[in-house]
Amino acid sequence: MASSRRDLAVRAAVDQGLLSPAEPVVALLDTAGIRASAAALTSAFAAVTDAPVLHAFAVKACPLVPVLRLLREAGLGVEVASPGELALARAAGVPPADTVLDSPAKTPAELRQALALGIAVNADNLQELARLDALVASAPTASPLGIRVNPQVGAGSIGALSTATATSKFGVALRDEGARKAVVQACLERPWLTRLHTHTGSQGVPLALMAEGVGEAYALAEEINHAAGRRQIDTLDIGGGLPVNFHSDEEAPTYAEYARLLADTVPGLFDGRYGLVTEFGRSLLAKHGTVLARVEYTKTSGGRPIAVTHAGVQLATRTVYAPDAWPLRVLAYDSEGRPRTGEVTVQDVAGPACFAGDLLATGRALPLLHPGDVVAVPDTGAYYFAHHYAYNSLPRPGIHGFTVNGSDGGTGSGTGNGGAGDDAGGSGSGSDDAGGAGVVAFTTVRKPQTLAEIVAESGGALADALVG
């Protein structure tokens, strides 16, 4: 199970020096867990349809080339929303045929590149369709082309992540006066427009609302095809958005639950007439990432204990600025990486940044932490440590994938064969006391950022630019 693999990995990270006084914060990715999530996604949809399905991982959730390569080997494609994300996908070896470009602000150059490569493009609005008209007329393309629609079915509990509200910035708002008719007409005028795309939102959006949004897109596809007298719309891109449980290790809801709900509420979606595209991101990676940080100091203020750690706003930006919407668990380990025991005490867990709100947890009941202890922050594999916020010029942490061999720690095979800091990027260690005879092997996904790299990114080579 994931928790036993995590305990083994924490102990091994301390044993092998990935986490140390010199490297007081590190991020870990459970590769067996990632593979299991990818398999759960593909099998969930295979159980309800024989139609072709491209599961396109939303690169924004974890923009790391080795992660994209791992998911590619698991049978997934990618959804990209910028030239940078496309560059990452290409570096990972994802072919254009398994790549989807979505963005509300694509430039002519981005569109031209996508069409030249044969990447699927979802236009965000009618103005973008006009740009595509000129590009399609100027050169042949193998790109499947679609348009995004906003079904305006409502919001979930986190407004910023609800993309099907009445005033969402994404897609053509179907319930606005004349908009639905305009989309139908736009499709009839463009025989090459063969896809509809919708995405209701992600964290905080209930499955029923997600399914309702998909149902609206399906109904529109049926309307367009009826008006065209043929199956012009042949693919529905239903987005992603499966919420993640941040309160325990349980993975809920599941892809199987969502696929069955879609099959019950939009049965025509799965009868073989439509190809499908999904764009899941957070739900594939979140549960399989963990931040580890050393406790540097402990103190008491106003009678409440405070543990000052090296993980804060630079890694958990959403949690620090919006803790009610993005709560994270904090797990306590001792200085050797063993789960800490002892009397549970209400305490704060703070980060290293120089502002008062830099708190991972406030008033959290944990065994009392001590200097040199380790805190682990699970569920951070998406939108956390891969999205660095350079407050106080704090460096990006090293990121390491891990596998566990043997016993009840899980399965997998390590690919590294050297020390944790060498170019091979891998190492193995037995950690019997951490929950079994499992051997943990680490492989570097991203090296820790150096001070020289921070200076270079901050104009270090141009020091005299404003005074020369």
Side-chain angles (χ1 to χ4, degrees), residues 312-323 326 328 355 357-360 383-385 387-391:
V313 72
Q314 85 277 30
L315 306 178
T317 313
R318 291 182 174 186
T319 294
V320 168
Y321 285 122
W326 297 101
L328 285 173
F355 77 101
D358 187 26
L359 296 166
L360 284 175
Y383 296 105
Y384 278 97
F385 52 70
H387 299 71
H388 191 73
Y389 175 40
Y391 200 104

Side-chain angles (χ1 to χ4, degrees), residues 383-459:
Y383 296 105
Y384 278 97
F385 52 70
H387 299 71
H388 191 73
Y389 175 40
Y391 200 104
N392 283 148
S393 295
L394 292 164
R396 291 189 294 270
I399 300 175
H400 304 272
F402 71 89
T403 55
V404 180
N405 291 326
S407 185
D408 61 330
T411 59
S413 59
T415 58
N417 56 13
D422 67 10
D423 290 338
S427 54
S429 170
S431 301
D432 294 352
D433 293 339
V439 176
V440 179
F442 292 105
T443 302
T444 300
V445 173
R446 187 183 71 190
K447 293 182 178 180
Q449 187 181 29
T450 66
L451 296 182
E453 288 170 337
I454 293 175
V455 172
E457 287 184 0
S458 301

Side-chain angles (χ1 to χ4, degrees), residues 38-371:
L41 171 59
T42 54
S43 63
F45 279 79
V48 295
T49 183
D50 294 326
V53 184
L54 170 64
H55 295 292
F57 172 69
V59 173
K60 63 182 73 68
C62 192
L64 297 168
V65 172
V67 168
L68 304 184
R69 175 68 66 86
L70 176 64
L71 291 172
R72 173 63 192 160
E73 291 193 356
L76 275 60
V78 293
E79 181 265 339
V80 301
S82 73
E85 289 184 358
L86 176 56
L88 296 178
R90 298 188 72 188
V94 182
D98 292 332
T99 303
V100 179
L101 173 63
D102 296 322
S103 165
K106 306 180 200 72
T107 67
E110 290 173 57
L111 292 171
R112 194 175 299 112
Q113 179 190 27
L115 268 59
L117 291 172
I119 290 169
V121 176
N122 289 320
D124 179 77
N125 53 69
L126 298 175
Q127 291 177 6
E128 189 173 336
L129 283 185
R131 283 187 177 177
L132 286 173
D133 285 337
L135 293 172
V136 169
S138 67
T141 179
S143 294
L145 301 174
I147 186 166
R148 179 168 182 169
V149 295
N150 171 12
Q152 294 176 294
V153 293
S157 61
I158 304 175
L161 297 189
S162 298
T163 56
T165 62
T167 56
S168 171
K169 74 176 187 179
F170 293 102
V172 180
L174 287 183
R175 297 182 184 180
D176 282 12
E177 185 176 356
R180 189 184 190 94
K181 181 178 179 181
V183 171
V184 174
Q185 187 61 34
C187 291
L188 296 178
E189 293 171 354
R190 297 169 174 84
W192 43 262
L193 200 57
T194 60
R195 293 186 171 191
L196 290 181
H197 173 219
T198 192
H199 176 69
T200 301
S202 50
Q203 195 67 19
V205 176
L207 297 191
L209 191 64
M210 292 168 57
E212 184 180 352
V214 172
E216 291 292 325
Y218 168 79
L220 178 60
E222 294 282 274
E223 181 179 341
I224 292 168
N225 288 344
H226 177 75
R230 63 186 183 90
R231 192 168 65 94
Q232 174 172 341
I233 302 299
D234 60 21
T235 301
L236 287 169
D237 184 333
I238 62 173
L242 193 76
V244 168
N245 165 32
F246 286 98
H247 301 290
S248 74
D249 283 328
E250 181 185 8
E251 296 189 33
T254 66
Y255 294 119
E257 290 173 47
Y258 183 45
R260 287 195 298 267
L261 177 63
L262 288 174
D264 290 341
T265 57
V266 197
L269 189 68
F270 296 132
D271 65 10
R273 290 177 299 128
Y274 292 99
L276 297 174
V277 177
T278 72
E279 299 176 356
F280 295 101
R282 177 182 292 105
S283 54
L284 281 161
L285 264 293
K287 304 299 287 186
H288 311 305
T290 303
V291 170
L292 306 184
R294 281 174 53 88
V295 177
E296 194 67 45
Y297 301 110
T298 56
K299 61 178 74 174
T300 301
S301 183
R304 177 180 291 175
I306 302 171
V308 181
T309 80
H310 289 272
V313 72
Q314 85 277 30
L315 306 178
T317 313
R318 291 182 174 186
T319 294
V320 168
Y321 285 122
D324 292 337
W326 297 101
L328 285 173
R329 292 180 289 153
V330 176
L331 308 177
Y333 295 79
D334 66 19
S335 61
E336 294 184 347
R338 298 184 177 92
R340 176 160 280 293
T341 58
E343 183 179 354
V344 171
T345 303
V346 173
Q347 55 199 299
D348 292 350
V349 181
C354 291
F355 77 101
D358 187 26
L359 296 166
L360 284 175
T362 302
R364 193 67 58 87
L366 296 165
L368 187 64
L369 291 162
H370 304 276

